[in-house]
Amino acid sequence: MNREMQRKANLMLLLFCLPALTVYIIFKLFPAISGFYYSLTNWNGLNPTFDFVGFANYQKMASDSDFWRSLGFTAKYVAAFVVMANVMALILAVAIESRRHLRGALRTIFYMPNMISMVIGGYMWMFIFTKVVYYLADNWHWTFLDHSWTGDPNYSFWSILIVSCWGAVGYLMIIYIAGLQGVPSDLKEASKLDGCNSFQTFWYVVRPLIRPAATICVFWTLNSGFQVFDVIYTLTGGGPGTATQSVAINIYEEAFKGNTRFGYSTAKSMVLFLIVLLVTLVQLSIMQKQEEDL
Amino acid sequence: MKKSFAMLATLVLLAPLTACTNTQSGGETKELNIMMSFPQYMEQWEAYCHKFEDKMLKDENIKVKVNLEMPTSDQYETVLKARLQNTDAPDLYTLHSNNIAEYNTAGYLTDLTSQPLAAKIYDDVKAMVSLDGKVLGVPLESQAWSVLYNKDMFKDAGITALPKTLTDLRNIVTALEAKSYTPFMLAFHDSWVPQLMTAVTLGGLVSGKVTGWVERMNAGTGSYNEVSAIFDAIDLIMAHGTDRAMEEGAEAGSADFANGKAAMYVNGTWSAGTIFETKPNFNLGVLAMPVNDDENCTRINLSVSTTLAVHPNSKNKDLALKFANYVLDDNDSSSLFEACKFNPIATCHHYEAAAYVSEAMEYVEKGRSYKDLVLPSAVTDKQGKLLQEYYQKTVTKEQFITTMDATYKDAIAK
C-alpha cells in the first residue's frame, strides 16, 4: 500500500515536471547531444551533405592560436570578474542592509542595470567610453581619461570588466541581501555583547553564515564569466584584432563569419562546456565542503 | 466571471495561431516567398512586388501573392542558411556575389543564362555574377568605389588633378595639411572598415602589377610577401588620419567625414546614404587609391554585392523565374533601381546616376577598374582584424604577412 502511494507520488511529480522537462529535452538536451555529433563532422552550415571526420576538429584546436589566445583572455577575465563582482556586490549588500532608510530605493537603483539587456547596456557604455570620456578629457582637462578605452587592449580589458560588473552586481547583491537577512539577529547581538566591533561581527559571525549565498554567487559569476559575449561584442567586438576576444566570440566567429565551420565551432563549444563543467564542479565541491564544516 | 475571463484569455492566445494557418481561397492563388537582405529598401521592393502581382493577374491571369521578408542584415545569412536547410526554403533570395561559388557547390542556385534577363546585364557586371560562363544571379547592388573625398576641401587646398601615383597622393596630403585639413578619416572600430584599405590596395596592385596573385594564393604557392608594397599606402593613410580611430564606428565615420573632419575616407559609395543624410549638399567625389608610382595600379574597385538568386527546388519555379526577369523589366525596372539609388547595371536602366557615381564610372569606362578580388571571407576578416592591431602597433608588418599566409592556407584547406 505504502509502495503503491510512493509510486503514485513519483508519477505525479513526473507529470508535473513533464511540460518543463519536454521543453528542456527539446531545446537544451537534444541540441547539446546532436551538437556533440556535429562536432565530429565538417559541416559548414550550408551544404546539405557533410562528412564524418572523427576527432579531427579536436586535434585542429591544438594548433589554433586564436582559440588559445581567446581562452587565455577569458581565463584572465573570469578571474578578475569573479573577484570584483562578488566583492562589490557584498559591499553594496552590507552597506544597504546596514542603512535604516531608503533601503528599497537603493536596492532598486542598484538592481536596475540587470533589467536592461547587456547589449543595450554595452551600447550605452560605448557612448560613455567614446564620447563622454573624451568630452571630459578635452574640456575639463581630465587627462587621465584620455585613453583608448575600447581600442587599446590594456584599457579595454578594464572597460569590459567595469561594464560587466555594472550589469551583474545588482543581481548578486540581491542574493547576498537575502543571505544577510537570514542571519539570526540574536547571534549578532551576542557578538556585540561579547565586545566585537562591526567588522569583527561581520567577519566572524555573518561571513560564515552567508556562505551558501557566496556559493551561489561564485557559481553564477564563474558560469556567466566563461560564456561572456554580449558586453565584449558591443564594446570592442573582440578587437583590436582578436586581443579582447572571448571564447564565446571566437566560437561565434568560427561558425557565422569567415570560414563558417559549424562542425569545428561546435567542437570548440564542447571544449568550453567541459572547462566550465570542470571548474564549477571543483568550485562547488570546495565551497560546499566549507559550508558543511560549519 | 473568472471562467469567462479564462475563456477570453484562451481565445486571445489562440488567435495568433489561427492567423498562421493558410487562408488561401479557391486554390488558384500561387505564393512566392522572397527573402532579401536590405530592409532599408523594404518600401520600394514591397511596391515592386505589388506591381508584379498586378502584372501577373493582368497578363497571364495568375493570382500571385508575394511574401517578402527582409531580416536585418546582420542576421540575414544565419536565417537564410537555416531556411535553406529546411523544407521552407524561399523561392528567391539574395546573396553576396562573392558567395556564388559556395552556394553553387551546395546546389542552391539556378542557371539563368537562357533567361531574357541575362542578355540585358552589362558585360562587366555579368562577369561578376557568373561562374564558368553561367549566369547564376541577378545583380542588384553594384558599386564602383575606392576612396571618397570632399571636393570642396580639395578645391580649397588648390588640388586640381586627382592622384595617379602614390607620389601624387603624398603631395595632396601635404597640400591638405598646409590648409590644416586632416587628410584621412580613420574609423577602425568595426574591423571591416580598415579591411577596405587592403581591398583597394591589393586590388590595384594585383590587377596592375602582381598579376595572378589570387590564383597563386588559392593554389597554395603564393605569399603576402609579393604584395607587401600595399603597406606604403596603408602607412601613409594611418600616419595622416584622424585621432581616436578605434573609437569611431563606420556610421560615425561617415557622419564625421560629411561634417568635414577629414578630406578623404577609404570607404565605399554605400556610405553615401549616411553622408547625405548628415549633410544633404555635401560635395562628394570618388577617386582611385594609388598603391605605388605605377599609374597602371591606380584603379577603381568594381563589385556587385547584393545578388538575387532563384532556388532550383522552388515549388513555383516558373513564377520565380518570371519575377527574376521582372526585376530587369524594360518598363518598370529603371524606376525601382533609381528609387533604391542602385547603379545602373543593365540596358533597361535609363536614369541619370548621381554625380559621384558618374565620376567613379568614368574610371570604369576608361578601363581603369578591376573586379573586386574574391578572397575567402576568413581571409578578409583576418585582414581587417590585423590592421586594427597594426594600427595599435601590437602587430608588425612581418607578423601581418606570416599570419595572413597561414590564415589563407587554412581557409583553402577546408
Side-chain angles (χ1 to χ4, degrees), chain B residues 275-291:
Chain B
I275 292 173
F276 289 117
E277 213 170 276
T278 315
K279 216 166 180 197
N281 57 352
F282 188 78
N283 211 345
L284 181 68
V286 179
L287 60 83
M289 180 75 200
V291 200

Side-chain angles (χ1 to χ4, degrees), chain B residues 54-329:
Chain B
D54 295 345
K55 188 182 157 79
M56 283 297 109
L57 192 64
K58 207 178 102 195
D59 293 3
E60 323 216 356
N61 200 22
I62 314 174
K63 253 193 210 162
V64 184
K65 187 174 174 300
V66 180
N67 302 317
L68 182 62
E69 253 184 291
M70 293 205 187
T72 57
S73 54
D74 54 333
Q75 287 167 4
Y76 177 76
E77 228 186 321
T78 319
V79 178
L80 176 68
K81 281 181 178 175
R83 295 276 292 273
L84 288 174
Q85 292 292 322
N86 287 312
T87 44
D88 60 345
D91 301 308
L92 293 128
Y93 61 92
T94 59
L95 75 163
H96 195 289
S97 78
N98 285 359
N99 295 337
I100 283 180
E102 190 191 343
Y103 279 68
N104 190 42
T105 323
Y108 295 133
L109 298 179
T110 305
D111 184 1
L112 303 173
T113 321
S114 54
Q115 295 297 318
L117 65 92
K120 296 180 195 170
I121 309 170
Y122 294 142
D123 283 342
D124 48 353
V125 180
K126 202 192 283 180
M128 271 173 264
V129 293
S130 303
L131 201 70
D132 307 326
K134 282 187 212 158
V135 179
L136 295 171
V138 185
L140 299 179
E141 272 186 287
S142 76
Q143 298 87 14
W145 64 281
S146 180
V147 180
L148 304 174
Y149 72 97
N150 185 330
K151 279 190 166 175
D152 292 336
M153 282 187 186
F154 269 49
K155 208 173 157 194
D156 190 41
I159 300 157
T160 47
L162 293 180
K164 287 188 173 139
T165 62
L166 199 60
T167 313
D168 288 351
L169 188 64
R170 277 184 219 279
N171 295 334
I172 287 177
V173 164
T174 320
L176 285 167
E177 280 176 344
K179 279 269 174 188
S180 59
Y181 289 129
T182 310
F184 288 99
M185 184 74 229
L186 304 184
F188 289 170
H189 184 265
D190 308 313
S191 63
W192 66 265
V193 184
Q195 198 287 126
L196 300 176
M197 294 193 300
T198 31
V200 295
T201 50
L202 276 178
L205 194 63
V206 168
S207 44
K209 200 172 161 195
V210 194
T211 45
W213 176 77
V214 179
E215 288 74 24
R216 282 198 295 285
M217 287 307 282
N218 285 336
T221 55
S223 162
Y224 271 73
N225 268 318
E226 300 173 43
V227 292
S228 61
I230 59 169
F231 279 99
D232 295 340
I234 290 172
D235 287 341
L236 179 75
I237 298 171
M238 285 187 177
H240 300 274
T242 48
D243 292 337
R244 296 168 181 165
M246 287 302 295
E247 272 65 38
E248 190 96 3
E251 290 283 296
S254 302
D256 280 345
F257 171 68
N259 282 324
K261 213 173 161 188
M264 287 177 272
Y265 187 21
V266 183
N267 206 331
T269 44
W270 51 82
S271 48
T274 313
I275 292 173
F276 289 117
E277 213 170 276
T278 315
K279 216 166 180 197
N281 57 352
F282 188 78
N283 211 345
L284 181 68
V286 179
L287 60 83
M289 180 75 200
V291 200
N292 48 25
D293 283 341
D294 182 357
E295 239 179 88
N296 196 26
C297 291
T298 310
R299 290 159 183 257
I300 211 139
N301 182 315
L302 189 64
S303 65
V304 170
S305 50
T306 320
T307 309
L308 185 69
V310 178
H311 197 292
N313 302 334
S314 158
K315 271 182 226 130
N316 293 316
K317 199 169 167 185
D318 285 345
L319 205 59
L321 287 171
K322 276 185 184 134
F323 185 86
N325 279 309
Y326 184 64
V327 169
L328 296 184
D329 184 75

Side-chain angles (χ1 to χ4, degrees), chain A residues 43-48 60 66 69 126 129-131 134 137-138 146 148-153 234-236 239-243 245 253 256-261, chain B residues 74 77-78 81-82 84-85 102-103 105-108 189 244 246-248 252 256 376-379 381-382 384-386 388-389 392 394 407 410-414:
Chain A
W43 190 40
N44 70 354
L46 183 66
N47 284 7
K60 201 180 154 92
D66 281 341
R69 191 181 181 185
M126 179 73 195
F129 284 128
T130 58
K131 296 272 172 337
Y134 285 146
D138 293 343
D146 196 3
S148 183
W149 287 99
T150 60
D152 183 338
T234 48
L235 225 49
T236 67
T242 52
Q245 203 175 58
E253 297 213 323
F256 299 109
K257 291 192 167 172
N259 288 323
T260 61
R261 291 174 178 151
Chain B
D74 54 333
E77 228 186 321
T78 319
K81 281 181 178 175
L84 288 174
Q85 292 292 322
E102 190 191 343
Y103 279 68
T105 323
Y108 295 133
H189 184 265
R244 296 168 181 165
M246 287 302 295
E247 272 65 38
E248 190 96 3
D256 280 345
S377 48
V379 169
D381 271 4
K382 194 76 187 172
K385 289 201 154 76
L386 284 177
Q388 281 184 328
E389 296 205 64
Q392 287 288 346
T394 46
T407 309
D410 184 45
I412 52 174
K414 84 171 169 178

